[in-house]
Amino acid sequence: MQELFRVLDPGTEDWALARQIDASRLPAHVAIIMDGNGRWAKRRFLPRVAGHKAGIDSVRTIMETAARLRIEALTLYAFSTENWKRPKSEIDTLFRLLRFFLRQELATMMEQNIQLNAIGRIEDLPEGAREELHRVIALTAGNTGLKVNLALNYSGRADLVDAVNRLIEEARAQGRLGSLEVSEATLDGAVSTAGLPDPDLLIRTSGEMRISNFLLWQIAYAEIYVTETYWPDFRRADLLRALLDYQKRDRRFGGLSALERAQTEESNAEEAVPAR
Ligand code: IPE
Ligand code: IPE
Ligand code: MG
């Protein structure tokens, strides 16, 4: 928190929101479906790509804020396997913007000790974007702060299929394909986010109430936060509001809250239930 307060002016909205946050109960992993760039642009009578361009500033701000909050991991849905259905001009611009973003943000990532990673079928990205991505991943590999995963050509189903195929390949290479058995732990170790905690908080901007094939396996118990705000308008205060909302949630994981558990033992004992 101290690192965040260093850049907040007392009395501002961001400062007031940050003061309400309980630093000991922050999510370890935040995942974001960055949606609404096109509608943001349309509302301003601008081409859709202007929305993507504006969205870059949100990525920078959110990444830096998460780093200053000492959050462990931030996974950003930037391009889905279904997004190839969009016009070529939009796709080309998206990947040009990705290269621009990577070149421009490398300094911030080094300064904030951010380690960049990519999840998704990266091998199918346009060559220029892929090379720039590999370069920044290599350059930030030694950083020990926030882990940022960019989900590119990503889908949750493809993630699971790739994980299963990886396990099959590995077993085949070791001559134990016949006895291969899959458990939650082995699958967990084979999906793209292996080694990271599951997202505690999933944010979607622009009001859509759907998952759109993001992190299907990993969000089993994520708290979901949907805001009407379009991604290019989603800035530090919006992230802080999402975190405050998250801290109000009662995460039961199928069990009961501590208070309810204590009360239940008494009241259940008093309630007579027929034996058959
Ligand atoms: C999210 O914004 C960015 C990407 C999917 C690449 P959209 O481009 O989906 O914006 P809307 O949903 O059309 O407003
Ligand atoms: C999800 O947004 C993908 C990304 C944010 C990259 P979309 O705009 O592609 O999702 P749908 O089509 O509204 O479900
Ligand atoms: Mg969209």
Side-chain angles (χ1 to χ4, degrees), residues 160-173:
L160 280 169
V161 167
D162 292 349
V164 170
N165 280 325
R166 214 167 288 143
L167 291 173
I168 292 175
E169 237 357 273
E170 214 177 85
R172 199 199 316 273

Side-chain angles (χ1 to χ4, degrees), residues 8-21:
L8 300 181
D9 292 324
T12 59
E13 188 190 21
D14 290 9
W15 176 84
L17 288 164
R19 287 226 315 173
Q20 297 171 54
I21 287 186

Side-chain angles (χ1 to χ4, degrees), residues 33-41 48 52 77-80 83 86 90 94 204-206 208 210 230-232:
I33 303 175
M34 309 184 288
D35 198 15
N37 294 354
R39 278 163 284 167
W40 181 93
R48 290 180 54 82
H52 298 317
Y77 204 5
F79 194 86
S80 76
N83 287 148
R86 297 189 179 198
E90 180 165 344
L94 275 169
R204 182 163 189 154
T205 58
S206 89
E208 305 294 358
R210 56 176 171 263
Y230 295 142
W231 178 250

Side-chain angles (χ1 to χ4, degrees), residues 53-269:
K53 214 159 130 187
I56 288 185
D57 293 334
S58 299
V59 177
R60 175 188 313 115
T61 307
I62 297 309
M63 228 168 58
E64 190 182 331
T65 306
R68 288 182 181 277
L69 282 166
R70 302 260 170 142
I71 287 173
E72 184 180 337
L74 175 69
T75 299
L76 301 171
Y77 204 5
F79 194 86
S80 76
T81 54
E82 284 80 23
N83 287 148
W84 296 108
K85 292 175 193 161
R86 297 189 179 198
K88 187 174 182 299
S89 59
E90 180 165 344
I91 296 173
D92 288 349
T93 306
L94 275 169
F95 286 110
R96 262 207 309 278
L97 283 171
L98 173 66
R99 286 172 71 177
F100 167 78
F101 165 79
L102 292 167
R103 272 200 300 270
Q104 180 165 284
E105 293 316 309
L106 179 60
T108 316
M109 290 184 217
M110 297 313 287
E111 202 181 284
Q112 297 295 327
N113 197 18
I114 292 171
Q115 185 189 89
L116 187 83
N117 238 305
I119 61 171
R121 292 180 173 164
I122 303 307
E123 61 282 6
D124 298 329
L125 297 186
E127 197 185 337
R130 200 178 58 224
E131 278 171 4
E132 194 64 36
L133 198 59
H134 282 144
R135 193 175 78 88
V136 176
I137 289 172
L139 288 169
T140 61
N143 291 349
T144 54
L146 176 73
K147 294 187 175 80
V148 172
N149 291 319
L150 278 186
L152 291 160
N153 194 21
Y154 179 88
S155 88
R157 287 188 172 183
D159 195 352
L160 280 169
V161 167
D162 292 349
V164 170
N165 280 325
R166 214 167 288 143
L167 291 173
I168 292 175
E169 237 357 273
E170 214 177 85
R172 199 199 316 273
Q174 295 166 0
R176 51 175 184 83
L177 188 56
S179 61
L180 173 66
E181 261 186 56
V182 172
S183 66
E184 290 197 10
T186 49
L187 207 43
D188 223 23
V191 292
S192 62
T193 51
L196 292 178
D198 283 341
D200 303 290
L201 173 62
L202 171 69
I203 299 173
R204 182 163 189 154
T205 58
S206 89
E208 305 294 358
M209 294 288 196
R210 56 176 171 263
I211 301 298
S212 301
N213 213 348
F214 194 36
L215 301 172
L216 298 176
W217 168 266
Q218 297 90 333
I219 58 167
Y221 262 107
E223 294 297 326
I224 299 175
Y225 178 87
V226 176
T227 170
E228 292 293 324
T229 304
Y230 295 142
W231 178 250
D233 288 330
F234 191 91
R235 297 298 162 91
R236 192 157 56 201
D238 303 278
L239 177 65
L240 296 173
R241 267 185 224 108
L243 293 170
L244 283 170
D245 194 86
Y246 166 82
Q247 295 193 328
K248 286 195 214 116
R249 309 283 179 94
D250 179 12
R251 302 189 77 193
R252 292 187 292 272
F253 298 98
L256 301 181
S257 65
L259 176 64
E260 219 172 346
R261 196 160 50 223
Q263 292 168 347
T264 302
E265 292 298 3
E266 288 170 40
S267 60
N268 276 356

